[in-house]
Amino acid sequence: MAGPLTFTLLCGLLTVTLAETTLRPPAVLSLGREVIKERLTQELKDHDAVNILQQLPLLSTIREKPAGGIPILGNLVNSILNHIIWLKVTSANILQLLVQPSDEGQGLAVKIPLDMVAGLNTPLVKTIVEMHMQTEVQAIITVNASERGHTHLVLEDCSNSHGSLRISLLQKLSFLVNSLANKVMSLLVPALPKLVKTQLCPVIKEAFEDMHVDLLSLVRAPISLGSNHLEFDPLSPAIKGNVIQLKLGAKLVNSQGNVTKWFKESAVSLTVPALDNTPFSLTVRQDVVNAAVAALLPQEELVVLLDYVLPELARQLKSSIKVISTKAADQLGPTQMVKILTQETPDLLLDQGTAKVAQLIVLEVFATNEAHRPFFTLGIEASSEAQFYTRDDRLMLSFNEISSDRIHLMNSGIGLFNPELLKNVTTEILNSVLLPNQNGKLRPGISIPMVKALGFEEASSFLTKVSGIKHPAPGRAQFLGRALSWEVGPALQC
């Protein structure tokens, strides 16, 4: 796909509004007219629509009811047509399609300009008499409801655009030949629209149906999340202005192909921003995004022999514990062990246009690798800045430095103490052990199959705000009320 086109991938924040009862989908795919135009143009090529135009039976059609069926005049015209050996389209082109809101405002009007040259062969002249024919086909994309209440996109009212037909001679010949050509052109004026409707419109409709099927298959393409997959299912379409919106359901599928979580329509609202000049956008509810992050970073336990892997941190930990208990510090051996358990999967949060993740972590310290009970158990409410960026067709996510926002003493075998005394060293341990482990799992990124399927190669990303309200969890209100946006597009070729 040529040109500086982009698409926007938007992570819309859940909004709880008690007065709102309309059910909202987990995701919405918005397709701009540029995508419709490009895809339908390709489908018309694949269905060999130009060849259909070149095979139009012009001569047999104008011979059916010449001169409006008036007997005397018809006989005269028939005698003229007898001087024609053949009449056919010698060259045809489908020009750039135009997609815009229909006049009624209930659908999208697709206008397909046709440019053709027809050749007329007659014994009256040795050369081919050529006529230039220009016309425009128009069809309407609308949302149709079946008897069962299901809605789907259809293409209807395909016909020649009123007043769009132009036929002219490409060269002037003798008076007799020009008169014959003019009569043929007058007969083509009513015949060509009829041929367009009977010969070309069925091909256009078939091309649209195949385009629709292809787009739905792109929507259903699984998005890999480690050993899991995120899959979207089309629910219903809608046409808003010059944009087709597909409401999508979502589900999380494990490596065995079993659905582990369904995301259905709910009463929470989902803000779908305007496309503007962007060809298409994917807007995803916050709970779906959090589930995707959770699939990449499931709960896990990390065990580290600190003195072997991070000796400097082992010395810092021993010094910090010595302030609490000299006896406990002296018991720390060369195989002192630290266990880190992510008690919950990371929760994606947003604050003033920047993304953050919050997670609950349990950290235990053992005197040796043979000890059955830890010196103490700490509960840590941690957070990190999250950076979203794109690489080719992949959405990338990485965490920056971990901060220990709150630290709690959950259990202690060395007496009660203020856990803040260990805040600095435990934060260093988390940044040295947990952070690289999580970023390593995030490093492959999230491939969005529809990017390259629609002709995009490279991407850029940015954060944007979308206002929203959500009942906050304790201690997390400051992160809520925003949304995340990524804009992705192809590299400009020089």
Side-chain angles (χ1 to χ4, degrees):
M1 185 180 296
L5 303 179
T6 58
F7 86 81
T8 305
L9 175 62
L10 297 155
C11 162
L13 186 67
L14 284 171
T15 305
V16 176
T17 308
L18 295 179
E20 181 63 68
T21 58
T22 303
L23 295 181
R24 305 292 183 178
V28 174
L29 175 64
S30 298
L31 300 171
R33 53 187 174 183
E34 190 68 31
V35 171
I36 303 301
K37 182 183 74 173
E38 294 286 344
R39 301 294 290 187
L40 187 54
T41 297
Q42 185 59 50
E43 287 293 342
L44 289 173
K45 290 179 181 178
D46 295 343
H47 285 75
D48 209 3
V50 169
N51 184 58
I52 299 298
L53 293 174
Q54 292 173 337
Q55 300 299 321
L56 291 178
L58 300 180
L59 186 56
S60 61
T61 302
I62 65 174
R63 280 176 171 169
E64 287 178 359
K65 292 183 179 180
I70 302 174
I72 297 176
L73 187 56
N75 292 333
L76 176 61
V77 173
N78 279 335
S79 65
I80 296 174
L81 295 180
N82 289 334
H83 290 89
I84 299 175
I85 299 175
W86 59 259
L87 171 63
K88 62 181 181 180
V89 176
T90 56
S91 69
N93 289 291
I94 296 177
L95 305 181
Q96 190 174 52
L97 275 62
L98 178 65
V99 180
Q100 62 186 31
S102 63
D103 293 337
E104 297 77 13
Q106 300 299 316
L108 286 176
V110 179
K111 297 183 178 182
I112 307 173
L114 307 178
D115 186 90
M116 296 172 282
V117 174
L120 169 65
N121 190 7
T122 173
L124 300 177
V125 64
K126 293 182 179 180
T127 59
I128 301 297
V129 180
E130 291 185 316
M131 295 170 288
H132 188 205
M133 302 186 300
Q134 294 175 298
T135 189
E136 182 182 79
V137 183
Q138 177 172 296
I140 307 297
I141 301 174
T142 61
V143 177
N144 190 24
S146 65
E147 294 180 356
R148 297 183 178 180
H150 301 299
T151 56
H152 58 282
L153 295 173
V154 295
L155 187 78
E156 56 187 24
D157 298 334
C158 180
S159 63
N160 205 76
S161 296
H162 179 71
S164 66
L165 181 58
R166 300 286 186 274
I167 304 178
S168 60
L169 280 174
L170 289 179
Q171 73 272 13
K172 297 293 184 180
L173 298 171
S174 66
F175 174 78
L176 181 59
V177 174
N178 286 341
S179 298
L180 174 62
N182 287 332
K183 179 54 66 178
V184 171
M185 288 189 295
S186 68
L187 295 173
L188 284 174
V189 170
L192 193 58
K194 175 183 176 182
L195 288 172
V196 165
K197 189 172 185 65
T198 59
Q199 303 291 319
L200 185 62
C201 280
V203 177
I204 296 174
K205 184 176 181 180
E206 184 179 344
F208 174 80
E209 290 172 351
D210 287 349
M211 178 201 75
H212 188 215
V213 170
D214 289 344
L215 287 174
L216 293 184
S217 68
L218 292 179
V219 169
R220 294 188 177 99
I223 296 176
S224 179
L225 301 171
S227 61
N228 300 277
H229 290 88
L230 178 64
E231 297 181 7
F232 293 111
D233 294 310
L235 299 176
S236 62
I239 296 178
K240 304 290 182 67
N242 57 6
V243 175
I244 294 176
Q245 290 185 352
L246 298 178
K247 295 181 180 180
L248 307 176
K251 58 187 176 183
L252 199 62
V253 183
N254 63 18
S255 57
Q256 288 76 41
N258 300 318
V259 177
T260 57
K261 189 167 186 178
W262 289 93
F263 303 92
K264 297 184 179 181
E265 291 183 302
S266 65
V268 297
S269 69
L270 183 66
T271 303
V272 180
L275 279 185
D276 296 326
N277 295 323
T278 306
F280 72 95
S281 70
L282 179 63
T283 307
V284 184
R285 259 187 358 216
Q286 181 75 33
D287 56 336
V288 181
V289 178
N290 272 330
V293 175
L296 292 171
L297 298 175
Q299 292 178 257
E300 65 177 337
E301 182 180 277
L302 302 176
V303 179
V304 182
L305 296 177
L306 205 60
D307 202 37
Y308 286 95
V309 181
L310 300 166
E312 180 59 33
L313 280 179
R315 286 190 288 271
Q316 292 181 30
L317 179 61
K318 185 173 184 177
S319 298
S320 299
I321 292 177
K322 191 172 184 178
V323 174
I324 300 169
S325 170
T326 303
K327 180 180 178 182
D330 292 339
Q331 293 177 19
L332 289 172
T335 60
Q336 61 178 279
M337 186 172 66
V338 173
K339 283 186 179 181
I340 299 172
L341 172 66
T342 52
Q343 195 170 18
E344 293 183 2
T345 55
D347 190 16
L348 181 65
L349 309 166
L350 300 158
D351 176 28
Q352 301 298 326
T354 61
K356 289 187 177 183
V357 288
Q359 49 188 326
L360 299 179
I361 302 166
V362 174
L363 186 146
E364 295 181 323
V365 175
F366 295 80
T368 68
N369 62 342
E370 295 180 351
H372 297 291
R373 291 187 177 183
F375 271 168
F376 50 82
T377 302
L378 301 178
I380 302 172
E381 297 180 37
S383 64
S384 307
E385 286 190 6
Q387 286 190 335
F388 287 95
Y389 58 99
T390 50
R391 181 179 299 156
D392 298 330
D393 65 333
R394 292 176 176 269
L395 177 66
M396 312 299 291
L397 170 63
S398 65
F399 297 162
N400 289 343
E401 185 175 355
I402 294 177
S403 298
S404 298
D405 301 326
R406 293 179 180 83
I407 184 168
H408 309 276
L409 182 62
M410 300 174 65
N411 183 41
S412 176
I414 59 175
L416 296 178
F417 62 90
N418 184 356
E420 291 291 326
L421 295 172
L422 300 176
K423 183 175 182 178
N424 291 338
V425 67
T426 53
T427 301
E428 286 293 329
I429 293 173
L430 293 179
N431 280 293
S432 300
V433 178
L434 179 61
L435 182 62
N437 176 268
Q438 291 182 330
N439 279 336
K441 294 181 177 181
L442 295 173
R443 190 168 294 116
I446 302 173
S447 177
I448 312 296
M450 69 176 68
V451 177
K452 288 192 174 179
L454 290 174
F456 297 90
E457 294 297 335
E458 294 186 3
S460 60
S461 63
F462 67 93
L463 290 173
T464 186
K465 297 179 183 179
V466 179
S467 62
I469 304 170
K470 180 179 178 181
H471 294 306
R476 296 184 181 178
Q478 69 272 23
F479 295 127
L480 302 174
R482 297 293 185 270
L484 184 64
S485 166
W486 303 276
E487 183 176 90
V488 188
L492 296 177
Q493 301 297 326
C494 301

